[in-house]
Structure formats: C-alpha cells, structure tokens
C-alpha cells in the first residue's frame, strides 16, 4: 500500500480539514498519517490527527528547521499551510524545505503570496487586469471630499475579518482610522457574497472551481453556505487564476451585484469553509494525493450543485494528562 503522510501546519481548529484528508486516503486506499502541528498543545485539531507535534511560533528563528526535522522524522510527503502569516515565510523557504526533506510544500511563489497578502497590492493587481473591485480611497480623498456612505474599512494585511467594519458615517470613519493599523477604505458593495474554492495542480493548471454562496458568517468564517454553479463567477475566476497563476487550494472572496462581480480578497490557502466544497465532490485532498502519486488531472465540474451546508461548534474534554475524556 502506498504511504503519503501529510503535515498540517498551524492546525488550530481545522478538524474538518484533517477529516477530509483521512476520508480521501481511505477512498483511494492510501496509507496516510495526518500529522497536525501547532504552537499550542490545546489546538483542537491536534486531537483528531494520527499524530501531533508542537512547533515553535512562526516568528521563531528555528521554525523552518523544526518543520524540516518533523518532515524527516515522520516521512512527510506534503506540507499544508492553513494561516496567512505562514505563507510568505514558507514560500521563501520552499526550496530549502524540499531540498532537505522529501516533502512538497503546498505553496504559491512569493510574488503571488505578496500580491494576495497585501490588500493594496491585491487591489492594484485586480485593477491592472480589468477585474471588478470596490473603489479604494486615498488619504487625501478621505480628507477632502464628500463621501457616500456606507464605506468598508479593513487592515492592509489583515485576516479572519479582524478589524473589518462597515462604516456608516464620518465619525465612525475617523474612529476606525485611528484604531486600525494601516487601514484601507473602500466603497461598501451591496450584493450576494460568495467564497470561491479553486484547486490548481503544482504547475498552476486549474482543476476545480466551486462558488459557495455565503448565507451566514461569524468572525469571518462561514456558518451556512450553498454550492452554486454560477457560470459568470466560474468564467471570471478562471480568467483571474490564469493570470495570477497560484498553486494548490485557493480561496477567493467576491460580491456579485446586479451588474458585475467585485473581488474582495484572495487567500492562497485552504479557507475554513473549504470542507464544504470538498464534500460536494471537488475533493482537493483526494486531488493532492492523486498528484503526489503521479496522476495528471484535468479540469472538471463533477461536484454537486445547489446543496447547503450548516456548520456548528463541537467540543472535546481533556483530563489532567491532556487525554480526551470519552463520554
């Protein structure tokens, strides 16, 4: 039986993602140990993996070397990042990690990461390539002109919807601009909000594109969503991916108005709601296993349409030895 072990970095609450990898390995008859890594031994996902490891924090100078050590000890074939702050460091050290271990890093090149992580660069990339985006205001425009509210404000390099606000008036705008580090101010776009899960192979070839209507959200993560094969969105995202050329699982946020598509952000990693698209049939985990076994994959839309997902919280209980107490 083929063995393909996977290391999930900053595993946190990514229990669903770990379960998706396990199900994909079982379906393909692959032996695969899912190793969950985190800097905290209370990260819930650690208790659902086949094995867990504690890594230093991302800003620790030994972080990359510790990843390499784990890869060699656990015979890791694939490293999967899950949080934004990991991405540029992993991308810049991709060659080093792959040279000193047998693991492949699921990461786009540094320029793609920089475009996606810096919201100003994201905006410029989208504008330069004629994609719809909300207008972004300069400081002078914010000071000198009458503005049409509501507006939208967020940090330049933020994630997880932290310090992201709808702005209703001038007083709110002044307040948020004081408390948010390097804020970006844009028009607030009315319309249906979508997350698009896309998967590309290691050469940047598009394999799947799955639009998900965001019905309910909490703290930036989807609670209720519906798979919608929207042809306009699929075609526009296809054009975007062919220009940007990321690799792996990519999460794109956009709003669809009566007139056009407006892009909000691009996250070059698995999003928290990715298991919805995976369970619909666009199985990025199975696709990764297939690629690592040397298969060539082609673009397909073999996933279910018009199905809804309702997510919920669950809990685990640990004893004094950090072992799960089973009820």
């Amino acid at each position: 039986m083929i063995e393909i072990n996977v290391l999930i970095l900053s595993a946190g609450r990514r229990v669903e993602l770990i379960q998706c990898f396990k199900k994909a390995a079982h379906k393909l008859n692959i032996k695969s140990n899912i190793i969950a890594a985190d800097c905290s031994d209370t990260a819930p996902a650690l208790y659902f993996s086949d094995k867990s490891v504690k890594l230093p924090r991302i800003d620790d100078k030994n972080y990359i070397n510790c990843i390499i050590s784990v890869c060699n000890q656990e015979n890791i074939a694939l490293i999967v990042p899950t949080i934004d702050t990991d991405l540029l460091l992993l991308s810049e050290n991709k060659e080093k990690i792959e040279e000193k271990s047998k693991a492949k890093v699921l990461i786009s090149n540094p320029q793609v990461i920089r475009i996606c992580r810096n919201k100003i660069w994201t905006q410029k990339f989208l504008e330069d390539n004629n994609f719809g985006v909300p207008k972004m205001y300069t400081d002078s425009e914010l000071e000198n002109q009458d503005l049409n509210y509501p507006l939208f404000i967020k940090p330049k390099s933020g994630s997880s919807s932290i310090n992201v606000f709808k702005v209703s008036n001038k007083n709110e705008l002044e307040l948020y601009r004081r408390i948010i580090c390097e804020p970006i101010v844009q028009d607030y776009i009315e319309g249906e909000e979508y997350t698009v899960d896309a998967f590309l192979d290691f050469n940047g070839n598009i394999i799947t594109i799955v639009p998900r209507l965001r019905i309910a959200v909490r703290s930036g993560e989807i609670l209720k969503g519906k798979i919608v094969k929207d042809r306009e969105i699929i075609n526009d995202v296809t054009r975007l991916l062919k220009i940007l050329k990321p690799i792996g699982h990519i999460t794109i946020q956009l709003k669809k108005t009566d007139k056009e598509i407006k892009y909000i952000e691009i996250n070059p990693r698995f999003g928290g709601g990715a298991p919805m698209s995976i369970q619909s049939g666009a199985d990025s985990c199975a696709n990764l296993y297939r690629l690592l076994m040397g298969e060539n994959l082609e673009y397909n839309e073999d996933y279910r349409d018009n199905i809804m997902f309702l997510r919920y919280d669950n809990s685990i209980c640990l004893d004094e030895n950090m072992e799960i107490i089973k009820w």
Side-chain angles (χ1 to χ4, degrees):
M1 181 182 290
I2 297 173
E3 180 175 331
I4 302 176
N5 297 332
V6 178
L7 176 63
I8 310 289
L9 296 179
S10 302
R13 300 172 66 242
R14 297 302 186 98
V15 174
E16 283 183 288
L17 183 60
I18 287 173
Q19 292 171 335
C20 286
F21 271 104
K22 287 185 174 184
K23 289 176 182 176
H26 178 75
K27 179 173 64 177
L28 295 171
N29 195 30
I30 296 169
K31 181 181 179 182
S32 179
N33 290 318
I34 309 302
I35 316 298
D38 204 279
C39 65
S40 169
D41 56 10
T42 57
L46 301 180
Y47 298 90
F48 293 85
S49 59
D50 296 302
K51 187 171 182 179
S52 63
V53 294
K54 189 171 183 178
L55 288 176
R57 298 182 65 85
I58 294 166
D59 56 4
D60 189 294
K61 64 181 181 179
N62 292 316
Y63 182 63
I64 295 297
N65 288 334
C66 288
I67 290 174
I68 293 170
S69 178
V70 170
C71 288
N72 290 326
Q73 289 171 13
E74 303 298 337
N75 192 27
I76 298 297
L78 180 69
I79 300 170
V80 179
T82 63
I83 61 173
D84 292 330
T85 49
D86 241 357
L87 300 179
L88 186 57
L89 181 63
L90 287 171
S91 184
E92 291 174 339
N93 286 276
K94 178 178 184 292
E95 288 187 9
K96 175 182 177 180
I97 295 170
E98 293 183 349
E99 285 175 0
K100 295 190 174 184
S101 74
K102 297 178 181 179
K104 196 165 188 66
V105 186
L106 188 66
I107 196 75
S108 300
N109 70 54
Q111 184 58 19
V112 171
I113 302 298
R114 291 187 186 100
I115 289 170
C116 297
R117 285 289 292 127
N118 185 314
K119 302 298 189 294
I120 295 175
W121 291 9
T122 306
Q123 179 94 5
K124 186 177 187 308
F125 167 83
L126 292 167
E127 288 177 345
D128 288 348
N129 289 284
N130 299 312
F131 291 99
V133 285
K135 174 179 168 55
M136 181 181 294
Y137 291 92
T138 65
D139 287 342
S140 60
E141 286 175 325
L142 293 173
E143 297 293 340
N144 298 326
Q145 77 173 43
D146 294 329
L147 301 171
N148 292 320
Y149 294 93
L151 299 173
F152 191 70
I153 190 168
K154 60 185 178 183
K156 182 181 75 173
S157 301
S159 63
S160 301
S161 291
I162 297 171
N163 284 334
V164 171
F165 302 101
K166 181 179 180 180
V167 181
S168 301
N169 54 58
K170 183 177 180 180
N171 289 337
E172 288 183 2
L173 178 61
E174 291 176 353
L175 171 64
Y176 292 138
R177 289 180 72 195
R178 287 197 300 269
I179 64 175
I180 296 174
C181 180
E182 297 185 291
I184 291 171
V185 180
Q186 297 172 300
D187 282 334
Y188 182 85
I189 303 299
E190 299 287 352
E192 291 185 320
E193 187 171 1
Y194 284 82
T195 297
V196 181
D197 285 312
F199 180 80
L200 303 92
D201 67 17
F202 294 114
N203 295 314
N205 299 308
I206 304 168
I207 308 302
T208 57
I209 296 175
V210 185
R212 290 190 277 110
L213 179 64
R214 288 161 70 92
I215 297 171
V217 179
R218 181 181 66 191
S219 299
E221 191 161 311
I222 190 166
L223 292 178
K224 301 176 185 179
K226 183 179 181 180
I227 306 296
V228 181
K229 285 188 180 180
D230 185 298
R231 184 53 48 194
E232 184 181 1
I233 292 176
I234 291 172
N235 289 344
D236 209 53
V237 169
T238 296
R239 185 170 73 89
L240 169 62
L241 295 173
K242 286 182 176 180
I243 297 171
L244 183 61
K245 300 185 184 304
I247 69 164
H249 192 106
I250 310 299
T251 307
I252 300 163
Q253 303 292 136
L254 60 85
K255 283 196 174 183
K256 186 177 182 183
T257 71
D258 293 336
K259 297 180 179 179
E260 61 185 326
I261 292 168
K262 298 274 192 179
Y263 288 90
I264 307 300
E265 62 181 47
I266 308 168
N267 296 308
R269 57 169 174 78
F270 279 97
M276 297 182 189
S277 295
I278 292 170
Q279 291 177 63
S280 77
D283 194 338
S284 296
C285 300
N287 285 336
L288 283 165
Y289 283 128
R290 290 189 175 103
L291 290 172
L292 291 168
M293 289 189 292
E295 291 187 31
N296 292 317
L297 304 181
E298 295 183 353
Y299 178 77
N300 72 86
E301 295 180 9
D302 301 334
Y303 57 89
R304 292 187 63 182
D305 193 12
N306 291 315
I307 57 173
M308 187 178 296
F309 291 88
L310 312 178
R311 305 178 76 204
Y312 64 96
D313 291 331
N314 204 346
S315 61
I316 57 175
C317 182
L318 307 178
D319 63 19
E320 65 272 14
N321 296 314
M322 303 299 284
E323 298 289 337
I324 295 178
I325 298 174
K326 295 183 179 180
W327 297 92

